[in-house]
Coordinates of all heavy atoms in Angstrom, one line a residue:
M1 N 5.0 8.1 37.1 CA 5.0 9.4 36.4 C 5.7 10.5 37.2 O 5.7 11.7 36.8 CB 3.6 9.8 36.1 CG 3.0 9.0 35.0 SD 4.0 9.0 33.5 CE 3.6 7.4 32.8
R2 N 6.2 10.1 38.4 CA 6.8 11.1 39.2 C 8.1 11.7 38.6 O 8.4 12.9 38.9 CB 7.2 10.5 40.6 CG 7.6 11.5 41.6 CD 7.7 10.8 43.0 NE 6.4 10.2 43.4 CZ 6.2 9.4 44.4 NH1 7.2 9.0 45.1 NH2 5.0 9.0 44.8
A3 N 8.7 11.0 37.7 CA 9.9 11.4 37.0 C 9.6 12.7 36.2 O 10.5 13.5 36.0 CB 10.4 10.4 36.0
A4 N 8.4 13.0 35.8 CA 8.1 14.1 35.0 C 8.5 15.4 35.6 O 9.1 16.3 34.9 CB 6.6 14.1 34.6
T5 N 8.3 15.6 36.8 CA 8.6 16.9 37.4 C 10.1 17.2 37.5 O 10.5 18.3 37.6 CB 8.0 17.0 38.9 OG1 8.5 15.8 39.6 CG2 6.5 17.0 38.8
N6 N 10.9 16.1 37.4 CA 12.4 16.3 37.4 C 13.0 16.4 36.0 O 13.9 17.2 35.8 CB 13.0 15.2 38.3 CG 12.6 15.3 39.7 OD1 12.4 16.3 40.3 ND2 12.4 14.1 40.3
V7 N 12.6 15.5 35.2 CA 13.3 15.3 33.9 C 12.5 15.7 32.7 O 13.0 15.8 31.6 CB 13.7 13.8 33.8 CG1 14.7 13.4 34.9 CG2 12.6 12.9 33.6
G8 N 11.2 15.9 32.9 CA 10.4 16.2 31.7 C 10.8 17.5 31.0 O 11.2 18.4 31.7
L9 N 10.6 17.6 29.7 CA 10.8 18.8 29.0 C 9.5 19.6 29.0 O 8.4 19.1 28.7 CB 11.1 18.5 27.5 CG 12.3 17.6 27.3 CD1 12.4 17.2 25.8 CD2 13.6 18.3 27.7
E10 N 9.6 20.8 29.5 CA 8.4 21.6 29.6 C 7.9 22.0 28.2 O 8.7 22.5 27.4 CB 8.7 22.9 30.4 CG 7.4 23.7 30.7 CD 7.7 24.8 31.7 OE1 7.6 24.5 32.9 OE2 8.0 25.9 31.3
S11 N 6.6 21.9 28.0 CA 6.0 22.3 26.8 C 5.4 23.7 26.9 O 5.4 24.2 28.0 CB 5.0 21.3 26.3 OG 3.8 21.5 27.0
R12 N 4.8 24.2 25.8 CA 4.2 25.5 25.9 C 2.7 25.4 26.2 O 2.0 26.4 26.2 CB 4.5 26.2 24.6 CG 5.9 26.5 24.3 CD 6.1 27.5 23.2 NE 7.5 27.7 22.9 CZ 8.0 27.3 21.7 NH1 7.2 26.8 20.8 NH2 9.3 27.4 21.4
E13 N 2.2 24.2 26.3 CA 0.8 24.0 26.5 C 0.4 23.9 27.9 O 1.1 23.1 28.7 CB 0.4 22.7 25.7 CG 0.5 22.9 24.2 CD 0.1 21.6 23.5 OE1 -1.0 21.1 23.8 OE2 0.9 21.1 22.7
D14 N -0.7 24.5 28.3 CA -1.2 24.3 29.6 C -1.9 23.0 29.7 O -2.4 22.4 28.8 CB -2.3 25.4 29.9 CG -1.6 26.8 30.1 OD1 -0.5 26.8 30.6 OD2 -2.3 27.8 29.8
C15 N -1.9 22.5 31.0 CA -2.6 21.2 31.2 C -4.1 21.4 30.9 O -4.7 22.3 31.3 CB -2.4 20.8 32.7 SG -3.5 19.5 33.2
P16 N -4.6 20.5 30.1 CA -6.1 20.6 29.7 C -7.0 20.3 30.9 O -8.2 20.6 30.8 CB -6.2 19.6 28.6 CG -5.2 18.5 28.9 CD -4.0 19.3 29.5
I17 N -6.5 19.7 31.9 CA -7.4 19.3 33.0 C -7.4 20.4 34.1 O -8.5 20.9 34.4 CB -6.9 18.0 33.7 CG1 -6.8 16.9 32.6 CG2 -7.9 17.6 34.8 CD1 -8.1 16.6 31.9
C18 N -6.3 20.8 34.6 CA -6.3 21.7 35.7 C -5.9 23.2 35.3 O -6.2 24.1 36.0 CB -5.4 21.3 36.9 SG -3.6 21.3 36.4
E19 N -5.3 23.3 34.1 CA -4.9 24.6 33.6 C -4.0 25.4 34.6 O -3.9 26.6 34.5 CB -6.1 25.4 33.2 CG -6.9 24.7 32.1 CD -8.1 25.4 31.6 OE1 -8.5 26.4 32.3 OE2 -8.7 25.0 30.7
Q20 N -3.3 24.7 35.5 CA -2.5 25.3 36.5 C -1.0 25.2 36.2 O -0.2 25.9 36.8 CB -2.7 24.6 37.8 CG -4.2 24.7 38.3 CD -4.5 26.0 38.9 OE1 -3.8 26.5 39.8 NE2 -5.6 26.7 38.5
A21 N -0.7 24.4 35.2 CA 0.8 24.2 34.9 C 0.9 23.8 33.5 O 0.0 23.4 32.8 CB 1.3 23.0 35.8
K22 N 2.2 24.0 33.0 CA 2.5 23.6 31.6 C 2.7 22.1 31.7 O 3.4 21.5 32.6 CB 3.8 24.2 31.2 CG 3.7 25.8 31.2 CD 2.9 26.3 30.1 CE 3.1 27.8 30.1 NZ 1.8 28.5 29.6
I23 N 2.2 21.4 30.7 CA 2.5 19.9 30.6 C 3.9 19.7 30.2 O 4.6 20.5 29.6 CB 1.5 19.2 29.7 CG1 1.6 19.8 28.2 CG2 0.1 19.2 30.2 CD1 0.8 19.0 27.2
R24 N 4.4 18.5 30.7 CA 5.8 18.2 30.4 C 5.8 16.9 29.5 O 4.9 16.1 29.6 CB 6.5 17.9 31.7 CG 6.9 19.2 32.4 CD 7.5 18.9 33.8 NE 8.0 20.2 34.3 CZ 9.2 20.6 34.2 NH1 10.1 19.9 33.5 NH2 9.6 21.7 34.7
L25 N 6.8 16.8 28.7 CA 6.9 15.7 27.8 C 8.0 14.8 28.3 O 9.2 15.2 28.5 CB 7.3 16.1 26.4 CG 6.2 17.0 25.7 CD1 6.7 17.6 24.4 CD2 4.9 16.2 25.5
V26 N 7.7 13.5 28.6 CA 8.7 12.6 29.1 C 8.8 11.4 28.1 O 7.8 10.9 27.6 CB 8.3 12.0 30.5 CG1 9.4 11.1 31.0 CG2 8.0 13.2 31.4
S27 N 10.0 11.1 27.7 CA 10.2 10.0 26.7 C 10.7 8.8 27.5 O 11.7 8.8 28.2 CB 11.3 10.5 25.7 OG 10.8 11.6 25.0
Y28 N 10.1 7.7 27.2 CA 10.5 6.4 27.7 C 10.9 5.5 26.5 O 10.1 5.4 25.5 CB 9.4 5.7 28.5 CG 9.1 6.4 29.8 CD1 8.1 7.3 29.9 CD2 9.8 6.0 30.9 CE1 7.9 8.0 31.1 CE2 9.6 6.7 32.2 CZ 8.6 7.6 32.2 OH 8.4 8.2 33.4
V29 N 12.0 4.8 26.6 CA 12.5 3.9 25.6 C 12.4 2.5 26.0 O 12.9 2.1 27.1 CB 13.9 4.3 25.1 CG1 14.4 3.3 24.1 CG2 13.9 5.7 24.5
F30 N 11.9 1.6 25.2 CA 11.9 0.2 25.5 C 12.6 -0.5 24.3 O 12.4 -0.2 23.2 CB 10.4 -0.3 25.5 CG 9.6 0.2 26.7 CD1 9.0 1.5 26.6 CD2 9.5 -0.5 27.8 CE1 8.3 2.0 27.6 CE2 8.8 0.0 28.9 CZ 8.2 1.3 28.8
G31 N 13.4 -1.5 24.7 CA 14.2 -2.3 23.7 C 14.6 -3.6 24.2 O 14.5 -3.8 25.5
T32 N 15.2 -4.4 23.3 CA 15.5 -5.8 23.7 C 16.6 -5.8 24.8 O 16.6 -6.7 25.6 CB 16.0 -6.5 22.5 OG1 17.0 -5.7 21.8 CG2 14.9 -6.8 21.5
R33 N 17.5 -4.9 24.8 CA 18.6 -4.9 25.8 C 18.4 -3.9 26.9 O 19.3 -3.7 27.7 CB 19.9 -4.6 25.1 CG 20.4 -5.7 24.1 CD 21.8 -5.4 23.8 NE 22.1 -6.0 22.5 CZ 23.3 -5.9 21.9 NH1 24.2 -5.1 22.4 NH2 23.5 -6.5 20.8
L34 N 17.2 -3.3 27.0 CA 17.0 -2.3 28.0 C 16.1 -2.9 29.2 O 15.6 -4.0 29.0 CB 16.3 -1.1 27.4 CG 17.0 -0.5 26.2 CD1 16.2 0.6 25.6 CD2 18.4 0.0 26.6
A35 N 16.0 -2.2 30.2 CA 15.3 -2.6 31.4 C 13.8 -2.8 30.9 O 13.3 -2.1 30.1 CB 15.3 -1.6 32.5
P36 N 13.2 -3.9 31.5 CA 11.8 -4.2 31.1 C 10.8 -3.0 31.4 O 9.8 -2.9 30.7 CB 11.4 -5.4 32.0 CG 12.7 -5.9 32.5 CD 13.7 -4.8 32.5
S37 N 11.1 -2.2 32.4 CA 10.2 -1.1 32.7 C 10.5 0.1 31.8 O 9.8 1.1 31.9 CB 10.4 -0.7 34.2 OG 11.8 -0.4 34.4
G38 N 11.5 0.0 31.0 CA 11.8 1.1 30.1 C 12.8 2.1 30.7 O 13.1 2.1 31.9
V39 N 13.4 2.9 29.8 CA 14.4 3.8 30.2 C 13.9 5.2 30.0 O 13.4 5.5 28.9 CB 15.8 3.6 29.5 CG1 16.8 4.6 29.9 CG2 16.3 2.2 29.8
C40 N 14.0 6.1 31.0 CA 13.6 7.4 30.8 C 14.7 8.2 30.1 O 15.8 8.3 30.7 CB 13.2 8.0 32.1 SG 12.5 9.7 32.0
V41 N 14.4 8.8 29.0 CA 15.4 9.5 28.2 C 15.2 11.0 28.2 O 14.1 11.4 28.0 CB 15.5 9.0 26.7 CG1 16.5 9.8 25.9 CG2 15.8 7.5 26.7
T42 N 16.2 11.8 28.5 CA 16.0 13.2 28.7 C 16.8 14.0 27.7 O 16.7 15.3 27.7 CB 16.4 13.6 30.1 OG1 17.8 13.2 30.4 CG2 15.5 13.0 31.1
S43 N 17.6 13.4 26.9 CA 18.4 14.2 25.9 C 18.7 13.4 24.6 O 18.6 12.2 24.6 CB 19.8 14.6 26.5 OG 20.6 13.5 26.7
D44 N 19.0 14.2 23.6 CA 19.3 13.5 22.3 C 20.6 12.6 22.4 O 20.6 11.6 21.8 CB 19.6 14.6 21.3 CG 18.3 15.2 20.7 OD1 17.2 14.6 21.0 OD2 18.4 16.2 20.1
Q45 N 21.5 13.1 23.2 CA 22.8 12.3 23.4 C 22.4 11.0 24.0 O 23.0 9.9 23.6 CB 23.8 13.1 24.3 CG 24.4 14.3 23.6 CD 23.7 15.6 24.0 OE1 22.5 15.6 24.1 NE2 24.4 16.6 24.2
E46 N 21.6 11.0 25.1 CA 21.2 9.7 25.7 C 20.5 8.8 24.7 O 20.7 7.6 24.6 CB 20.3 10.0 26.9 CG 20.9 10.0 28.2 CD 19.9 10.2 29.3 OE1 19.5 11.4 29.6 OE2 19.4 9.2 29.8
M47 N 19.6 9.4 23.9 CA 18.9 8.6 23.0 C 19.8 8.0 21.9 O 19.7 6.8 21.6 CB 17.9 9.5 22.2 CG 17.0 8.8 21.2 SD 15.8 7.7 22.0 CE 14.4 8.9 22.2
N48 N 20.7 8.7 21.4 CA 21.7 8.2 20.4 C 22.6 7.1 21.0 O 22.9 6.1 20.4 CB 22.5 9.3 19.8 CG 21.7 10.2 18.9 OD1 20.8 9.7 18.2 ND2 22.0 11.5 18.8
K49 N 22.9 7.3 22.3 CA 23.8 6.3 22.9 C 23.0 5.0 23.1 O 23.5 3.9 22.8 CB 24.1 6.8 24.3 CG 25.3 6.1 25.0 CD 25.7 6.9 26.2 CE 26.3 5.9 27.3 NZ 26.5 6.6 28.6
L50 N 21.8 5.1 23.5 CA 20.9 3.9 23.6 C 20.7 3.2 22.2 O 20.8 2.0 22.0 CB 19.6 4.2 24.2 CG 19.6 4.5 25.7 CD1 18.2 5.0 26.1 CD2 20.0 3.3 26.5
A51 N 20.5 4.1 21.2 CA 20.2 3.6 19.8 C 21.4 2.8 19.3 O 21.3 1.9 18.5 CB 19.9 4.7 18.9
R52 N 22.6 3.2 19.7 CA 23.8 2.5 19.2 C 23.9 1.1 19.8 O 24.5 0.2 19.2 CB 25.1 3.3 19.6 CG 25.4 4.4 18.6 CD 26.9 4.7 18.7 NE 27.2 5.3 20.0 CZ 27.1 6.6 20.3 NH1 26.7 7.4 19.4 NH2 27.5 7.0 21.5
N53 N 23.4 0.9 21.0 CA 23.6 -0.4 21.7 C 22.4 -1.3 21.7 O 22.4 -2.4 22.2 CB 24.0 -0.1 23.2 CG 25.3 0.6 23.3 OD1 26.2 0.4 22.5 ND2 25.4 1.5 24.2
S54 N 21.3 -0.9 21.1 CA 20.1 -1.7 21.1 C 19.4 -1.7 19.8 O 19.5 -0.7 19.1 CB 19.2 -1.2 22.2 OG 18.1 -2.1 22.3
R55 N 18.8 -2.8 19.5 CA 17.9 -2.8 18.3 C 16.5 -2.8 18.6 O 16.1 -3.2 19.8 CB 18.3 -4.1 17.5 CG 19.6 -4.1 16.8 CD 20.0 -5.4 16.3 NE 21.3 -5.4 15.8 CZ 21.6 -5.1 14.5 NH1 20.6 -4.9 13.7 NH2 22.9 -5.1 14.1
D56 N 15.7 -2.5 17.7 CA 14.2 -2.6 17.9 C 13.7 -1.8 19.1 O 13.0 -2.3 19.9 CB 13.8 -4.1 18.0 CG 14.2 -4.9 16.9 OD1 14.2 -4.4 15.7 OD2 14.6 -6.1 17.1
M57 N 14.2 -0.6 19.2 CA 13.8 0.2 20.3 C 12.5 1.0 19.9 O 12.4 1.5 18.8 CB 14.9 1.3 20.6 CG 16.1 0.6 21.4 SD 17.1 1.8 22.1 CE 16.7 3.3 21.4
V58 N 11.7 1.1 20.9 CA 10.5 1.9 20.7 C 10.4 3.0 21.7 O 10.7 2.8 22.9 CB 9.2 1.1 20.8 CG1 7.9 1.9 20.6 CG2 9.2 -0.1 19.8
C59 N 10.1 4.2 21.3 CA 10.1 5.4 22.2 C 8.6 5.8 22.4 O 7.9 5.9 21.4 CB 10.9 6.5 21.6 SG 10.9 8.0 22.7
Y60 N 8.3 6.0 23.6 CA 6.9 6.4 24.0 C 7.1 7.8 24.6 O 7.8 8.0 25.5 CB 6.2 5.5 25.0 CG 5.9 4.2 24.4 CD1 6.8 3.1 24.5 CD2 4.7 3.9 23.8 CE1 6.5 1.9 24.0 CE2 4.4 2.7 23.3 CZ 5.3 1.7 23.4 OH 5.0 0.4 22.9
V61 N 6.4 8.8 24.0 CA 6.4 10.1 24.5 C 5.1 10.4 25.3 O 4.0 10.2 24.7 CB 6.5 11.2 23.4 CG1 6.5 12.6 24.0 CG2 7.8 10.9 22.6
V62 N 5.2 10.7 26.6 CA 4.0 10.8 27.4 C 3.9 12.3 27.9 O 4.9 12.9 28.3 CB 4.2 9.9 28.7 CG1 2.9 10.0 29.6 CG2 4.4 8.5 28.3
E63 N 2.7 12.8 27.8 CA 2.5 14.1 28.3 C 2.0 14.0 29.8 O 1.2 13.2 30.1 CB 1.4 14.8 27.5 CG 1.7 15.1 26.1 CD 0.6 15.7 25.3 OE1 -0.6 15.5 25.7 OE2 0.8 16.3 24.3
V64 N 2.7 14.8 30.6 CA 2.4 14.7 32.1 C 2.2 16.1 32.6 O 2.9 17.0 32.3 CB 3.6 14.0 32.8 CG1 3.2 13.8 34.3 CG2 3.9 12.7 32.2
C65 N 1.2 16.2 33.5 CA 1.0 17.5 34.2 C 1.6 17.3 35.6 O 1.2 16.4 36.4 CB -0.4 17.8 34.3 SG -0.7 19.2 35.4
P66 N 2.6 18.1 36.0 CA 3.2 18.0 37.3 C 2.3 18.5 38.4 O 2.6 18.2 39.6 CB 4.5 18.9 37.2 CG 4.2 19.9 36.1 CD 3.2 19.2 35.2
N67 N 1.3 19.1 38.1 CA 0.4 19.7 39.1 C -0.7 18.7 39.5 O -0.9 18.4 40.7 CB -0.3 21.0 38.6 CG -1.1 21.7 39.7 OD1 -0.6 22.0 40.7 ND2 -2.4 21.9 39.4
C68 N -1.4 18.1 38.5 CA -2.5 17.2 38.9 C -2.3 15.8 38.5 O -3.1 14.9 38.7 CB -3.8 17.7 38.2 SG -3.8 17.5 36.4
S69 N -1.1 15.5 38.0 CA -0.7 14.1 37.6 C -1.4 13.5 36.4 O -1.3 12.3 36.2 CB -0.8 13.2 38.8 OG 0.0 13.6 39.9
W70 N -2.1 14.4 35.7 CA -2.7 13.9 34.5 C -1.6 13.5 33.5 O -0.6 14.1 33.4 CB -3.6 15.0 33.8 CG -4.0 14.7 32.4 CD1 -5.2 14.0 32.1 CD2 -3.4 15.1 31.2 NE1 -5.3 14.0 30.7 CE2 -4.3 14.6 30.2 CE3 -2.3 15.9 30.9 CZ2 -4.0 14.9 28.8 CZ3 -2.0 16.1 29.5 CH2 -2.8 15.6 28.5
N71 N -1.9 12.4 32.8 CA -0.9 12.0 31.8 C -1.6 11.2 30.7 O -2.6 10.6 30.9 CB 0.2 11.1 32.4 CG -0.3 9.8 32.9 OD1 -0.5 8.8 32.2 ND2 -0.6 9.7 34.2
H72 N -1.0 11.3 29.5 CA -1.5 10.5 28.4 C -0.4 10.3 27.4 O 0.5 11.1 27.2 CB -2.8 11.1 27.9 CG -2.7 11.7 26.6 ND1 -2.3 13.0 26.4 CD2 -3.1 11.3 25.3 CE1 -2.3 13.3 25.1 NE2 -2.8 12.3 24.4
L73 N -0.5 9.2 26.7 CA 0.5 8.9 25.7 C 0.3 9.8 24.4 O -0.8 9.8 23.8 CB 0.3 7.4 25.2 CG 1.3 6.9 24.2 CD1 2.7 6.9 24.7 CD2 0.9 5.5 23.8
A74 N 1.3 10.6 24.2 CA 1.2 11.5 23.1 C 1.5 10.8 21.7 O 0.8 11.0 20.8 CB 2.2 12.7 23.3
R75 N 2.6 10.0 21.7 CA 2.9 9.3 20.5 C 3.9 8.3 20.8 O 4.6 8.3 21.9 CB 3.3 10.2 19.4 CG 4.6 11.0 19.7 CD 4.8 12.2 18.8 NE 5.9 13.0 19.2 CZ 7.1 12.9 18.5 NH1 7.3 12.0 17.6 NH2 8.1 13.6 18.9
S76 N 4.1 7.4 19.9 CA 5.2 6.4 20.0 C 5.8 6.2 18.6 O 5.1 6.3 17.6 CB 4.6 5.0 20.6 OG 3.7 4.5 19.7
F77 N 7.0 5.9 18.6 CA 7.7 5.7 17.3 C 8.9 4.7 17.5 O 9.4 4.6 18.6 CB 8.2 7.0 16.7 CG 9.1 7.8 17.6 CD1 10.5 7.6 17.5 CD2 8.6 8.7 18.5 CE1 11.3 8.4 18.3 CE2 9.4 9.5 19.3 CZ 10.8 9.3 19.2
T78 N 9.3 4.1 16.4 CA 10.4 3.2 16.4 C 11.7 4.1 16.3 O 11.8 5.0 15.5 CB 10.4 2.2 15.3 OG1 9.1 1.5 15.3 CG2 11.5 1.2 15.3
V79 N 12.7 3.8 17.2 CA 13.9 4.5 17.1 C 14.9 3.8 16.1 O 15.1 2.7 16.2 CB 14.6 4.5 18.5 CG1 15.9 5.3 18.5 CG2 13.6 5.2 19.5
Q80 N 15.3 4.6 15.2 CA 16.2 4.1 14.2 C 17.7 4.1 14.7 O 18.1 5.1 15.3 CB 16.2 5.0 12.9 CG 14.8 5.0 12.3 CD 14.3 3.7 11.7 OE1 15.1 2.9 11.4 NE2 13.0 3.5 11.7
P81 N 18.4 3.1 14.5 CA 19.8 3.1 14.9 C 20.5 4.3 14.2 O 20.3 4.6 13.1 CB 20.4 1.8 14.3 CG 19.2 0.9 14.2 CD 18.0 1.8 13.8
A82 N 21.4 4.9 15.0 CA 22.1 6.1 14.5 C 23.0 5.8 13.2 O 23.2 6.6 12.4 CB 23.0 6.6 15.6
S83 N 23.4 4.5 13.1 CA 24.3 4.1 12.0 C 23.5 4.2 10.6 O 24.1 4.2 9.6 CB 24.8 2.7 12.2 OG 23.7 1.8 12.3
Q84 N 22.2 4.2 10.7 CA 21.4 4.3 9.4 C 21.3 5.7 8.9 O 20.5 5.9 8.0 CB 20.1 3.6 9.6 CG 20.2 2.1 9.8 CD 18.8 1.4 9.8 OE1 17.8 2.1 9.7 NE2 18.8 0.1 9.8
G85 N 21.9 6.6 9.6 CA 21.9 8.0 9.1 C 20.8 8.8 9.6 O 20.8 10.0 9.4
Q86 N 19.8 8.2 10.3 CA 18.7 9.0 10.8 C 19.0 9.3 12.3 O 19.1 8.4 13.0 CB 17.4 8.3 10.6 CG 16.8 8.4 9.3 CD 15.5 7.6 9.2 OE1 15.4 6.4 9.4 NE2 14.4 8.3 9.0
R87 N 19.0 10.5 12.6 CA 19.2 10.8 14.0 C 17.9 10.7 14.8 O 16.9 11.1 14.3 CB 19.8 12.2 14.2 CG 21.2 12.3 13.6 CD 21.9 13.6 14.2 NE 22.0 13.5 15.7 CZ 21.9 14.5 16.5 NH1 21.6 15.7 16.0 NH2 21.9 14.4 17.8
S88 N 18.0 10.2 16.0 CA 16.8 10.1 16.8 C 16.6 11.5 17.5 O 17.5 12.0 18.1 CB 17.0 9.0 17.9 OG 17.3 7.8 17.2
R89 N 15.4 12.0 17.4 CA 15.2 13.3 17.9 C 14.1 13.2 19.0 O 13.1 12.5 18.8 CB 14.7 14.3 16.9 CG 15.6 14.4 15.7 CD 16.9 15.1 16.1 NE 16.6 16.4 16.6 CZ 17.5 17.3 17.0 NH1 18.8 17.0 16.9 NH2 17.2 18.5 17.6
L90 N 14.3 13.9 20.1 CA 13.3 14.1 21.0 C 12.3 15.2 20.6 O 12.7 16.0 19.8 CB 13.8 14.4 22.4 CG 14.6 13.3 23.1 CD1 15.4 13.8 24.3 CD2 13.7 12.2 23.5
P91 N 11.1 15.2 21.1 CA 10.2 16.3 20.6 C 10.7 17.7 21.0 O 11.3 17.9 22.0 CB 8.9 16.0 21.4 CG 9.3 15.1 22.5 CD 10.6 14.3 22.0
Ligands
ZN1 ZN1 -3.0 19.4 35.4

């Protein structure tokens, strides 16, 4: 979860545990042609690029506090290939 402090998107919510920092949202993508540990995605462009080259991708959005390292899975969803007309959006 160390990646969060560098690449996470800052949210407007305070950490519910320490209340010292805004929680960050980090997106990890898992798919058949991607690294087994998942790929950390930080932009819509990256997401669309991955979606073009891989099928059956699943995105996990994790909330992370850079201050106390609290984290939890916010949501997960299947990434639709860009060719199907649905753009993949980060939160
Ligand atoms: Zn915290």
Side-chain angles (χ1 to χ4, degrees):
M1 288 305 150
R2 192 168 298 169
T5 50
N6 297 322
V7 301
L9 302 172
E10 188 171 272
S11 78
R12 296 193 187 114
E13 291 176 52
D14 287 328
C15 171
I17 306 303
C18 69
E19 298 178 351
Q20 300 281 308
K22 304 285 189 214
I23 56 175
R24 285 171 172 271
L25 298 171
V26 185
S27 300
Y28 290 93
V29 174
F30 294 84
T32 49
R33 293 192 200 173
L34 303 178
S37 56
V39 177
C40 186
V41 176
T42 56
S43 71
D44 283 347
Q45 288 97 322
E46 260 183 276
M47 181 71 90
N48 286 327
K49 199 171 151 192
L50 288 171
R52 276 202 297 273
N53 296 323
S54 184
R55 290 168 182 271
D56 304 322
M57 287 194 344
V58 180
C59 181
Y60 293 90
V61 181
V62 183
E63 296 177 335
V64 184
C65 172
N67 187 56
C68 69
S69 299
W70 171 84
N71 66 82
H72 108 279
L73 180 64
R75 63 199 175 97
S76 64
F77 57 91
T78 304
V79 179
Q80 302 294 333
S83 59
Q84 289 187 357
Q86 280 180 296
R87 292 199 61 216
S88 307
R89 304 289 305 180
L90 291 171

